[in-house]
């Protein structure tokens, strides 16, 4: 029964996340939060309040089991490919195809191998529930997933522990800046669908560059700031098709490919390849294309000093 | 065991539980059968050398187990083997999947278990070439031949008995029309190849043996299957007896009749028309039994037969397929009473019956033209097919029966879904059809090769191969194609099962059209050869 309460509060949070969202882009916020994280934050706060109202259970040790069970049910929503995160699940294989092709070429790995990323250290910035991190781990990489929201890390951890291959992923609740302070370095730094939610994209790119080893790879995906993307990603996705909660994206904070290339250049990263994602409504599938007018992904390498 | 299976079913999948309760009686029988099987296997332990052969190949807990009795007590140990894929059913289609996985670089590292109690899987195939052909044969289409060539399994077939044919004649008992097909019509060399099932199977098996593919053969039957709970079932009910939050929770668990258990990410049901996997997973099926049985046998001629013949008789079609070396295979569909009679009658009588059915029995020969013309249809001169000018021919006479007669009931069956989380069906487990167009196993091979490709694509992007999103791609590719083929075959079966004057003439006109209208004929041949996805409008 409590699981149903969690679900309803989740839906309530989805439709009323605008008030929280408006604060995300204020300069007071130091950590680059993601707007989709906002509704999951509210989700948890609602969940905890609803569970305390059910009452009638012991405190102390069994509370931990209950917490775990709660996380388990939320975790499955993140990972429920028919649930609210469905668009991300559907887009995921296409993103991975681009990442696989560019990284295999750059690091001269065998593209026909089932684990081409063996020996590579990759960080997934803004990993959420680990939707990208787990396939990367299955492809052989040593993956570190970071996210600023504690709950997402917990969710990701629980799901990753189900698969022995994915349980090698290191999840940290931290930010790219903090990782730079810890002087961590990675062969590939991947930040997909994050930069449009960040307060200062230029600083964010500098952090990503600092995390990359010289001649390492940086991959960023985001949404273009164009008329078409306003129609598609804001109006269609949020208001008509309800793929995303209203207010997930601010059109003014989208970056055009030229701007992204420029700020990456200033951070010592040269963009080598760029591709777009297009959605075919008839087949319901995403595919890679040259059309970068809506969703696009960029692969760059850090200049050797 | 069954109560835990029930409790694992979430409230959201109540419809699933409804269908599975009706399937519990077979699995109850499965439990009883398992106990009987174990008892029988204890008696028979000396007659099953394959058991120890397979045991030495099985890695892990089963090594060094001297007899099946010990296996029963040891299955409680936590040495349960983990596999990536478990193929239940090691027949032609199951082995085609294994062979295809073994041949692709992305999938050849997978750890695969094959569950089949057939002793032939444990040893290298060996055929005495002097044996007469086995009556169990299949006609493989050019599309299937190219799949086999891709995985490297066709060379073996060519070294054993096989028969390419490039001509086909179809007519019926009314004498109103006939049609001849020639591979030259679509600029190909063959329409298909007739191969014994044991040769196809042996070829796939030896192909796998030649690679270092990690396969483990379990010579037993599947007795139960436990699937992980669906996401929505992870509610707050801590009271029910659920398996602990362990790493096995996302894997399917298979229990076999000899007491072994194994965990796997993906269960492939390739276990035939009476699929155990399909039942245990609760897939719904639709279909009906044709009130027809098929008699199959091998016959001999005095001359070589190079053409495939099919004549539609009132009770069902009789097909004569070339097998090479003056042998042919007969597939004769008829009602059950006649089939029992024909199976029991003496050989000479049977041979006479067959010749009658292929020749003047039941009706006259068709004349070369019905409405007095090939001319009417021949004005588009440029596109006329070679075979449009062929005259009707009488099939070669059968002189001797060369094998035993086998009888099989015929039915149409189709699973409403091919995939669910961690389970996928291929081959006859997903669909069974009438043999009248020789398509059944070709559809199965198409399934196997499509599934292996989908699995390879999933692995390329690091997906979990048990995920429904990956498997749905296989279903989206194969289900429409299979349903269309099944619809057409069923349509043929129904069209030819009625003896009614106007309908006969309509059929004959259609047959004429298929014979003389060249674009239509080319489409039909291409579709039946597997080259084309749709019968018309490519």
């Amino acid at each position: 029964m409590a699981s149903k309460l969690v679900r309803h509060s989740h839906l309530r949070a989805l439709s009323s996340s605008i008030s929280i969202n408006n604060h995300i882009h204020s300069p007071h916020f130091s950590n680059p939060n993601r707007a989709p994280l906002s509704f999951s934050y509210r989700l948890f706060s609602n969940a905890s309040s609803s569970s305390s109202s059910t009452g009638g259970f012991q405190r102390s040790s069994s509370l931990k089991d209950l917490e775990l069970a709660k996380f388990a049910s939320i975790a499955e929503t993140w990972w429920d490919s028919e649930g609210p995160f469905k668009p991300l699940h559907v887009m995921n294989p296409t993103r991975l195809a681009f990442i696989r092709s560019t990284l295999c070429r750059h690091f001269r790995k065998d593209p026909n191998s089932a684990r081409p990323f063996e020996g590579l250290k990759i960080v997934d910035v803004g990993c959420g529930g680990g939707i990208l991190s787990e396939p990367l781990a299955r492809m052989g990489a040593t993956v570190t997933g970071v996210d600023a929201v504690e709950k997402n890390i917990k969710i990701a951890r629980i799901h990753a522990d189900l698969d022995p291959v994915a349980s090698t992923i290191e999840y940290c609740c931290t930010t790219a800046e903090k990782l730079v302070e810890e002087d961590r370095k990675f062969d590939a730094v991947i930040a997909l669908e994050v930069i449009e939610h960040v307060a200062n994209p230029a600083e964010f790119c500098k952090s990503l560059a600092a995390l990359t080893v010289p001649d390492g790879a940086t991959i960023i995906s985001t949404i273009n700031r164009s008329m078409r993307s306003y129609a598609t990603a804001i109006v269609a996705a949020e208001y008509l098709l309800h793929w995303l909660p209203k207010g997930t994206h601010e059109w003014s904070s989208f970056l055009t490919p030229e701007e992204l290339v420029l700020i990456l250049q200033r951070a010592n990263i040269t963009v080598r390849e760029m591709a777009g994602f297009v959605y075919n409504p008839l087949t319901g599938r995403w595919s890679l294309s040259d059309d970068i007018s809506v969703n696009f992904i960029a692969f760059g390498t850090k200049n050797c000093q | 065991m069954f109560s835990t299976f029930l409790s694992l079913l979430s409230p959201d999948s109540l419809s699933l539980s409804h269908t599975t309760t009706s399937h519990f009686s077979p699995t109850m029988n499965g439990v009883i059968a398992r106990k009987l099987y174990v008892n029988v296997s204890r008696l028979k332990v000396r007659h099953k050398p394959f058991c120890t052969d397979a045991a030495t190949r099985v890695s892990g807990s089963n090594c060094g187990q001297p007899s099946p009795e010990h296996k029963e007590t040891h299955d409680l140990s936590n040495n349960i083997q983990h596999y990536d894929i478990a193929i239940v059913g090691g027949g032609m289609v199951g082995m085609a999947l294994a062979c295809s996985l073994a041949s692709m670089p992305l999938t050849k590292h997978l750890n695969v278990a094959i569950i089949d109690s057939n002793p032939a899987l444990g040893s290298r195939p060996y055929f005495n070439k002097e044996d007469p052909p086995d009556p169990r044969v299949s006609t493989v289409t050019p599309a299937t031949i190219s799949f086999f060539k891709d995985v490297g399994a066709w060379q073996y077939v060519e070294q054993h008995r096989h028969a390419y044919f490039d001509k086909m004649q179809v007519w019926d008992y009314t004498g109103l029309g006939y049609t001849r097909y020639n591979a030259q019509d679509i600029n190909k060399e063959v329409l298909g190849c007739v191969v014994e099932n044991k040769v196809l199977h042996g070829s796939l098996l030896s192909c796998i043996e030649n690679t270092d593919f990690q396969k483990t053969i379990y010579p037993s039957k599947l007795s139960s299957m436990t699937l992980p709970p669906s996401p929505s079932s992870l509610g707050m009910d801590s009271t029910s007896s659920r398996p602990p939050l362990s790493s096995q929770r996302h894997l399917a668990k298979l229990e076999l009749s000899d007491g072994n258990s194994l965990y796997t990410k993906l269960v492939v049901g390739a276990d035939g028309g009476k699929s155990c996997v399909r039942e245990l997973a609760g897939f719904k099926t639709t279909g009906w039994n044709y009130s027809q049985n098929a008699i199959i046998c091998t016959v001999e001629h005095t001359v070589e037969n190079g053409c495939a013949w099919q004549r539609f008789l009132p009770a069902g079609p009789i097909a004569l397929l070339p097998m090479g070396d003056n042998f042919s295979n007969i597939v004769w569909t008829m009602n059950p009473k006649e089939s029992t009679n024909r199976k029991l009658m003496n050989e000479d009588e049977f041979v006479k019956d067959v010749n009658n059915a292929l020749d003047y029995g039941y009706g006259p020969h068709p004349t070369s033209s019905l409405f007095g013309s090939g001319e009417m249809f021949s004005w588009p001169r440029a596109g006329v097919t070679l075979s449009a000018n062929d005259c009707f021919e009488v099939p070669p006479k059968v002189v001797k029966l060369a094998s035993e007669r086998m009888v099989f009931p015929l039915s149409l069956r189709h699973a409403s879904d091919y995939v669910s989380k961690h389970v996928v069906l291929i081959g006859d487990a997903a669909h069974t059809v009438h043999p009248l167009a020789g398509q059944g196993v070709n559809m199965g091979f198409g399934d196997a090769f499509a599934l292996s490709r989908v699995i390879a694509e999933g692995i390329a992007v690091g997906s979990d191969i048990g995920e429904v999103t990956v498997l749905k791609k296989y279903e989206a590719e194969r289900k429409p194609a299979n349903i269309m083929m099944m619809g057409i075959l069923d349509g043929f079966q129904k069209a030819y099962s009625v003896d009614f004057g106007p309908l006969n003439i309509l059929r004959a006109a259609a047959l004429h059209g298929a014979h003389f209208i060249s674009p239509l004929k080319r489409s039909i041949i291409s579709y039946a050869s597997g080259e084309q996805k749709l019968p018309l409008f490519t």
Side-chain angles (χ1 to χ4, degrees):
Chain A
M1 184 183 73
S3 66
K4 285 214 185 78
L5 281 171
V6 166
R7 213 170 286 167
H8 286 146
S9 60
H10 185 189
L11 293 169
R12 261 187 285 125
L14 284 179
S15 57
S16 59
S17 63
I18 301 177
S19 52
I20 294 245
N21 211 39
N22 285 340
H23 296 295
I24 291 294
H25 298 294
S26 77
H28 306 301
F29 274 71
S30 54
N31 32 351
N33 266 332
R34 286 173 41 170
L37 309 180
S38 68
F39 64 84
S40 54
Y41 186 90
R42 270 195 56 145
L43 156 70
F44 183 73
S45 56
N46 278 338
S48 54
S49 56
S50 61
S51 64
S52 58
S53 65
T54 47
F57 57 87
Q58 319 89 304
R59 309 279 161 168
S60 66
S61 61
S62 63
L63 190 58
K64 232 185 203 144
D65 297 326
L66 212 62
E67 294 262 302
L68 265 171
K70 240 189 296 174
F71 285 128
S73 68
I74 306 170
E76 297 300 331
T77 323
W78 234 107
W79 281 94
D80 183 5
S81 49
E82 297 299 316
F85 288 102
K86 180 173 175 179
L88 211 55
H89 282 274
V90 179
M91 199 199 251
N92 207 32
T94 321
R95 315 191 295 182
L96 283 160
F98 179 84
I99 293 172
R100 185 195 171 90
S101 122
T102 49
L103 291 185
C104 275
R105 216 170 315 132
H106 180 68
F107 291 107
R108 291 189 187 81
K109 300 286 186 181
D110 176 15
N112 282 329
S113 157
R115 293 174 64 90
F117 296 158
E118 204 77 57
L120 288 182
K121 289 210 298 274
I122 304 189
V123 64
D124 180 8
V125 179
C127 62
I131 284 184
L132 187 74
S133 308
E134 286 194 19
L136 289 174
R138 279 193 205 104
M139 291 202 253
T142 311
V143 181
T144 304
V146 300
D147 201 276
V149 177
E150 174 83 33
K151 293 77 196 171
N152 285 339
I153 295 293
K154 287 204 168 100
I155 292 163
R157 180 85 267 154
I158 290 177
H159 193 270
D161 285 337
L162 295 179
D163 186 351
V165 177
S167 55
T168 58
I169 301 176
E170 180 200 348
Y171 282 115
C172 305
C173 176
T174 176
T175 65
E177 285 73 24
K178 290 219 188 71
L179 280 183
V180 175
E181 283 168 27
E182 289 170 27
D183 211 22
R184 299 281 303 262
K185 294 273 184 231
F186 299 92
D187 297 305
V189 174
I190 305 185
L192 302 187
E193 314 295 320
V194 180
I195 197 169
E196 67 260 26
H197 302 288
V198 160
N200 191 337
E203 286 303 316
F204 180 64
C205 283
K206 288 215 169 74
S207 307
L208 294 184
L211 289 172
T212 320
V213 299
D215 203 33
T218 307
I219 298 184
I220 295 183
S221 88
T222 183
I223 305 180
N224 197 344
R225 189 180 69 244
S226 63
M227 289 279 73
R228 226 180 114 201
S229 75
Y230 186 79
T232 324
I234 309 277
V235 175
E238 292 180 16
Y239 291 88
L240 299 179
L241 299 172
H242 302 293
W243 282 359
L244 301 169
K246 295 190 185 56
T248 304
H249 290 124
E250 275 279 325
W251 187 77
S252 55
S253 58
F254 287 163
L255 294 171
T256 64
E258 295 82 13
E259 286 167 4
L260 183 64
V261 169
L262 206 57
I263 57 176
L264 281 174
Q265 193 65 48
R266 290 202 186 126
N268 266 326
I269 293 179
T270 316
V271 172
R272 305 269 179 207
E273 269 182 65
M274 210 181 279
F277 296 131
V278 291
Y279 180 69
N280 182 344
L282 294 174
T283 58
R285 296 216 201 110
W286 290 87
S287 51
L288 285 172
S289 94
D290 289 326
D291 177 8
I292 51 174
S293 60
V294 187
N295 294 75
F296 70 98
I297 187 167
F299 160 74
T301 53
K302 177 144 174 212
N303 302 332
C304 305
Q305 263 92 3
Chain B
M1 178 172 70
F2 300 112
S3 55
T4 47
F5 186 32
L6 265 177
S7 66
L8 287 170
L9 296 170
S10 65
D12 291 347
S13 56
L14 274 174
S15 57
L16 186 68
S17 68
H18 170 70
T19 49
T20 45
T21 38
S22 61
H23 291 295
F24 272 117
S25 36
T27 46
M28 277 297 220
N29 291 337
V31 172
I32 300 166
R34 161 182 158 180
K35 295 211 170 86
L36 289 174
Y37 183 86
V38 168
N39 291 332
V40 166
S41 67
R42 279 187 196 145
L43 297 172
K44 278 196 187 169
V45 70
R46 262 178 271 292
H47 298 292
K48 282 191 183 169
F50 71 86
C51 251
T52 44
D53 280 352
T56 51
R57 249 179 289 193
V58 168
S59 54
S61 57
N62 296 332
C63 264
Q65 301 288 343
S67 61
E69 290 104 294
H70 289 274
K71 277 191 194 151
E72 273 250 284
T73 50
H74 278 267
D75 69 350
L76 299 171
S77 73
N78 46 13
N79 273 10
I80 301 183
Q81 289 294 305
H82 282 59
Y83 294 94
D84 294 310
I85 301 183
I87 304 179
V88 181
M92 289 190 286
V93 177
M95 293 312 279
L97 175 66
C99 198
S100 183
L101 291 172
S103 69
M104 288 193 288
L106 282 169
T107 52
K108 61 182 182 193
H109 66 285
L110 290 176
N111 199 359
V112 172
I114 301 176
I115 299 167
D116 195 313
S117 51
N118 181 2
L121 288 177
S123 49
R124 279 204 170 257
Y126 168 72
F127 308 120
N128 187 347
K129 297 201 178 167
E130 311 306 320
D131 282 344
D134 208 48
R136 305 216 62 180
V137 303
S138 301
T139 315
V140 289
T141 58
T144 304
I145 294 176
S146 66
F147 281 141
F148 268 66
K149 281 184 178 154
D150 285 342
V151 299
W154 191 249
Q155 232 179 345
Y156 182 98
V157 173
E158 293 203 315
Q159 289 162 0
H160 290 74
R161 190 187 285 116
H162 65 287
Y164 288 107
F165 62 94
D166 60 348
K167 295 194 288 283
M168 193 190 292
Q169 178 173 297
V170 181
W171 74 111
D172 67 2
Y173 63 95
T174 57
L176 293 172
Y178 70 98
T179 171
R180 285 184 71 86
Y181 297 116
N182 198 308
Q184 303 288 337
D185 296 341
I186 50 166
N187 298 321
K188 291 267 161 34
E189 285 176 14
V190 293
L191 285 176
C193 187
V194 182
V195 191
E196 288 157 273
N197 288 358
K198 68 182 188 203
V199 169
L200 286 170
H201 191 243
S203 164
L204 294 164
L205 194 57
S206 76
C207 188
I208 296 183
E209 297 281 344
N210 290 339
T211 65
D212 50 6
F213 189 58
Q214 275 170 290
K215 71 168 192 319
T216 313
I217 297 182
Y218 281 86
S220 76
K221 293 193 193 338
L222 181 67
S223 62
S224 86
M225 182 164 71
T226 316
L227 294 171
S230 53
S232 45
S233 75
L234 292 170
M236 308 288 266
D237 52 337
S238 46
T239 50
S240 65
S241 55
R242 277 183 293 134
L245 284 163
S246 66
S247 60
Q248 272 83 28
R249 215 185 60 186
H250 76 303
L251 299 173
K253 184 173 176 191
L254 297 179
E255 272 157 43
L256 308 181
S257 53
D258 62 0
N260 284 325
S261 296
L262 49 101
Y263 283 111
T264 178
K265 289 185 197 159
L266 180 65
V267 180
V268 177
D271 44 351
K274 300 188 192 65
S275 169
C276 192
V277 171
R278 188 181 65 203
E279 259 182 54
L280 291 175
F283 285 106
K284 288 202 260 259
T285 59
T286 50
W288 43 87
N289 293 324
Y290 295 123
S291 50
Q292 287 177 324
N293 287 353
I295 289 191
I296 61 170
C297 59
T298 317
V299 297
E300 208 175 333
H301 309 283
T302 46
V303 295
E304 181 141 358
N305 175 16
C307 174
W309 312 87
Q310 179 147 295
R311 187 179 190 210
F312 284 93
L313 302 174
I318 177 168
L320 186 73
L321 304 167
M323 287 188 70
D325 301 334
N326 295 358
F327 287 110
S328 287
N329 183 269
I330 296 238
V331 180
W332 193 353
T333 308
M334 61 190 72
N335 60 50
K337 206 158 86 60
E338 284 182 38
S339 69
T340 356
N341 287 343
R342 291 226 168 84
K343 180 173 169 147
L344 299 171
M345 64 169 59
N346 75 47
E347 290 192 8
D348 293 324
E349 287 286 320
F350 182 74
V351 166
K352 226 185 283 181
D353 244 356
V354 166
N355 282 324
N356 193 33
L358 288 172
D359 205 347
Y360 273 109
Y362 306 95
H365 284 169
T367 47
S368 290
S369 55
L370 171 62
F371 303 114
S373 60
E375 290 93 53
M376 196 179 355
F377 294 102
S378 64
W379 51 264
R381 263 282 141 201
V384 160
T385 53
L386 189 68
S387 49
N389 296 324
D390 278 358
C391 291
F392 174 80
E393 278 178 29
V394 179
K397 234 177 166 46
V398 171
V399 298
K400 197 161 88 83
L401 186 63
S403 78
E404 52 158 335
R405 286 158 271 175
M406 303 172 108
V407 177
F408 296 99
L410 300 178
S411 62
L412 174 83
R413 204 146 299 276
H414 191 252
S416 48
D417 289 298
Y418 289 3
V419 320
S420 76
K421 200 161 196 279
H422 300 283
V423 183
V424 63
L425 301 177
I426 59 174
D428 276 1
H431 44 75
T432 45
V433 296
H434 200 280
L436 63 84
Q439 292 294 330
V441 80
N442 292 294
M443 288 159 70
F445 285 132
D447 290 350
F449 294 114
L451 180 63
S452 74
R453 205 180 342 108
V454 164
I455 290 177
E457 284 167 7
I459 289 185
V461 289
S463 319
D464 176 7
I465 51 179
E467 269 303 311
V468 182
T469 35
V470 173
L471 301 173
K472 281 280 179 198
K473 287 195 200 146
Y474 153 76
E475 190 183 57
E477 188 182 326
R478 290 304 303 168
K479 203 155 146 210
N482 287 339
I483 288 186
M484 166 142 356
M485 178 63 83
M486 290 171 71
I488 292 175
L489 295 179
D490 195 50
F492 269 112
Q493 195 273 343
K494 292 198 158 47
Y496 274 99
S497 56
V498 179
D499 184 12
F500 181 52
L503 186 62
N504 292 354
I505 297 189
L506 210 61
R507 279 199 315 246
L511 213 50
H512 250 73
H515 185 54
F516 288 113
I517 301 179
S518 308
L520 178 65
K521 180 184 257 185
R522 279 199 209 97
S523 273
I524 292 175
I525 299 179
S526 290
Y527 180 62
S529 307
E531 313 277 335
Q532 200 169 297
K533 291 287 174 199
L534 299 171
L536 304 163
F537 320 121
T538 19

